[in-house]
Amino acid sequence: MKPLIVSLLAIGLFIAPSARAHEPIITGADQVKAYLPLLKGKKVGMMVNPTSIIGNTPIVDSLLSLGVKIKTIFGPEHGFRNNASNGAEVADEIDPQTGIPIVSLYGNRRKPTPAQMAAIDVMVFDLQDVGCRFYTLINTLREIMEACADASKPLIILDRPNPNGYVDGPVLDMKHESGIGRYPVPITHGMTIGEFARMINGQGWMRNKKKCNIKVITVKNYRHDMDYVLPVAPSPNLNTAESIVLYPSLCLFEGTIISQGRGTMMPFTILGAPALKGKYDFTFTPKSIPGKSESPLHKDQTCYGLDLRTFDITPWRKRGQINISWMIEMYKAYPNKAQFFDRSYSPAMGSIEFLAGTSAFRQQIIAGVSEAEIRKSWEPGLSKYKQMRKKYLLYP
C-alpha cells in the first residue's frame, strides 16, 4: 500500500502525473507573498487543521515566525490536531505549542460568536477538502462565511486542489438535508474550497442570502482532472491515498450493514460483514481504536468481503465516476436483504437517504436496477448542476 506522504512532498508540492511536462502544483498557502501583506498588522483568526501547511510546516507556525498576529485558531471536525474521531464533539483548548486559544466549531458551537469575530480583523480559511458532499468541511465553510458576513470581516481562502475533482452522483434532494448534506449538489461536486465558496455566495445559500467578502488565493498550475496526492491525511479515517480516492464510493456503505473498514488501519479501502462468510475469502476484524473509531460497526467480529487496496483506480478515476457496482454486488451477496439498509441493527449505521441524497437509491438497489439505469435516473439534475457550476470555476 502506498504511503500518503511521499518524497515528492518534501517541499509541500506534488507533481501530478498528468502535469509532469508542466509546472508543479502550488497551493494557495504556499504563495505566502500573495497574502502576507493582507495579514500584516491585523488580528487574524485562522480556520485550520493538520492539512494547513506551508511546505511541510504547519501554517500557524510559519505565519507566527513571519510576524503575523494570530488571535484565535478555529478547529473543525476531528479537531485542530486531527485527534478526534468521526462525529465526536471537540472541546476548546489552548494550543500547547503556541499558546493560542483554539475554539472548536464541532460540538455545541458550529460558528464563531459575534464576540470572537469582533476580536479579529480578518479570517483565514485553509483546510484540505476531499470533494464530497458528505465531507463536512463545506458545511464549516458556510458557517465561517456567515460569521464573516455578519461581522463585516473579510475571509481569505487559501485554496487547495480537490483530489476527487470530477462531478458524479445524484444531486441532493433537499428533503434529505442533514449534517452530511446541506447543499443541492452531487456526491462529488468537482470544486475546490475556493470555488465552492464562490458558489455559496452566488447561489444565495447563506442565511438571508447574505454575501461574504472573500478573496481566494488560487492554486497555481492546477486543473480539475489532475491527480493529486495529499501531503497530510485530511482526517483520521482517510489515512492513505487509496482511501481518499475510494471514499466517495465507499462512504455510501455507511448507510448499510456493510463495514467500510472503520475500526481497522485500512478504513475506506475494504468492505465486508460477518454474514458474508463463505461468499468471500478476504477477512478483517473491526476493533475499537481511540481517535479513529471507538464503536465501529461489527466490532470484534470477523468480516468477510472485498479488499480494494490493490484495485486499479487509475482507469476508473479517469472516467470521473463513483463506483456503485460494489453496492449492487454486496446487496446481491448479502443473505438477509431486509437487514441491509436497516438502521435498527446498529447505531453505527447511517441513513442511506442522507448519504445518497435521494429516496430512489435504496429502492433501486433493492429492485435490482442496473447501474446504467441508476445513472440515468440522476439526470437531468446532474447536467443542470454541471451547467450552474461553470459560473464559479477558477480552474479548467
Side-chain angles (χ1 to χ4, degrees):
M1 197 164 65
K2 296 185 291 294
L4 186 63
I5 301 175
V6 296
S7 58
L8 285 174
L9 295 162
I11 58 170
L13 306 178
F14 174 71
I15 301 176
S18 56
R20 283 181 182 138
H22 306 288
E23 295 298 316
I25 289 173
I26 305 175
T27 68
D30 282 319
Q31 299 170 61
V32 179
K33 290 182 180 179
Y35 60 90
L36 188 60
L38 305 175
L39 306 180
K40 283 287 191 178
K42 305 286 181 64
K43 291 177 289 185
V44 179
M46 299 199 70
M47 187 75 207
V48 289
N49 68 9
T51 68
S52 313
I53 54 175
I54 296 174
N56 56 6
T57 302
I59 190 171
V60 167
D61 298 337
S62 294
L63 293 184
L64 285 174
S65 70
L66 293 172
V68 174
K69 185 178 180 180
I70 300 175
K71 179 77 173 177
T72 311
I73 296 169
F74 296 94
E77 183 179 8
H78 308 300
F80 173 54
R81 300 287 179 190
N82 250 7
N83 56 356
S85 299
N86 177 65
E89 290 195 2
V90 182
D92 294 350
E93 58 182 329
I94 300 296
D95 181 36
Q97 297 184 30
T98 63
I100 299 172
I102 301 173
V103 174
S104 170
L105 298 184
Y106 201 84
N108 294 329
R109 184 195 308 113
R110 294 301 172 108
K111 68 172 64 174
T113 65
Q116 289 162 351
M117 291 303 300
I120 65 173
D121 300 315
V122 59
M123 180 75 78
V124 174
F125 191 104
D126 181 26
L127 297 175
Q128 176 65 63
D129 191 39
V130 297
C132 295
R133 184 181 66 221
F134 33 65
Y135 200 69
T136 61
L137 293 189
I138 53 175
N139 301 342
T140 301
L141 173 64
R142 185 170 71 180
E143 302 287 7
I144 292 292
M145 289 176 66
E146 285 189 351
C148 288
D150 289 344
S152 299
K153 300 292 172 72
L155 175 63
I156 299 172
I157 297 174
L158 306 181
D159 217 5
R160 294 182 177 274
N162 179 352
N164 295 300
Y166 59 94
V167 177
D168 197 34
V171 173
L172 174 70
D173 181 338
M174 292 302 284
K175 74 179 181 182
H176 295 305
E177 181 181 4
S178 71
I180 55 172
R182 293 186 176 173
Y183 310 96
V185 302
I187 288 175
T188 51
H189 52 69
M191 305 184 89
T192 66
I193 282 289
E195 292 172 324
F196 206 95
R198 284 161 53 89
M199 185 164 65
I200 290 174
N201 259 350
Q203 294 301 117
W205 287 344
M206 286 196 290
R207 179 171 38 84
N208 299 324
K209 299 188 182 297
K210 289 188 175 183
K211 306 283 186 185
C212 177
N213 176 13
I214 63 173
K215 179 175 179 56
V216 180
I217 307 300
T218 57
V219 183
K220 286 187 176 180
N221 311 315
Y222 171 68
R223 300 191 315 269
H224 284 285
D225 62 356
M226 286 180 170
D227 297 333
Y228 181 71
V229 176
L230 275 58
V232 178
S235 53
N237 284 293
L238 291 179
N239 58 351
T240 64
E242 290 85 358
S243 66
I244 292 165
V245 175
L246 291 169
Y247 176 74
S249 304
L250 269 58
C251 194
L252 284 170
F253 283 93
E254 292 194 330
T256 76
I257 202 167
I258 304 297
S259 167
Q260 326 80 46
R262 288 191 186 274
T264 75
M265 301 310 292
M266 312 168 282
F268 295 106
T269 62
I270 55 179
L271 294 170
L276 293 173
K277 183 177 182 179
K279 306 258 178 146
Y280 298 94
D281 295 329
F282 174 69
T283 65
F284 62 92
T285 303
K287 302 285 185 181
S288 177
I289 304 177
K292 280 176 72 75
S293 187
E294 282 80 4
S295 300
L297 182 64
H298 306 312
K299 178 183 172 184
D300 298 326
Q301 299 180 64
T302 301
C303 295
Y304 301 79
L306 297 173
D307 181 359
L308 301 174
R309 288 173 294 172
T310 58
F311 181 76
D312 186 3
I313 60 178
T314 304
W316 170 62
R317 188 184 182 282
K318 286 184 183 298
R319 292 195 296 269
Q321 293 182 339
I322 61 172
N323 189 315
I324 57 174
S325 66
W326 293 322
M327 182 71 71
I328 294 170
E329 175 184 344
M330 286 281 162
Y331 182 79
K332 287 180 178 177
Y334 201 80
N336 186 349
K337 302 274 190 292
Q339 200 178 53
F340 194 82
F341 293 113
D342 185 358
R343 296 181 67 187
S344 67
Y345 175 80
S346 170
M349 289 173 60
S351 163
I352 191 61
E353 282 74 24
F354 287 172
L355 287 156
T358 172
S359 301
F361 188 72
R362 177 206 294 252
Q363 299 161 5
Q364 290 166 333
I365 297 298
I366 292 172
V369 175
S370 70
E371 179 175 355
E373 286 299 309
I374 292 175
R375 290 190 175 281
K376 187 177 179 181
S377 72
W378 297 346
E379 298 292 354
L382 197 54
S383 292
K384 288 181 178 178
Y385 168 78
K386 288 178 180 178
Q387 188 63 34
M388 179 269 285
R389 165 182 171 267
K390 289 180 181 179
K391 295 185 291 184
Y392 307 111
L393 295 182
L394 295 168
Y395 317 96

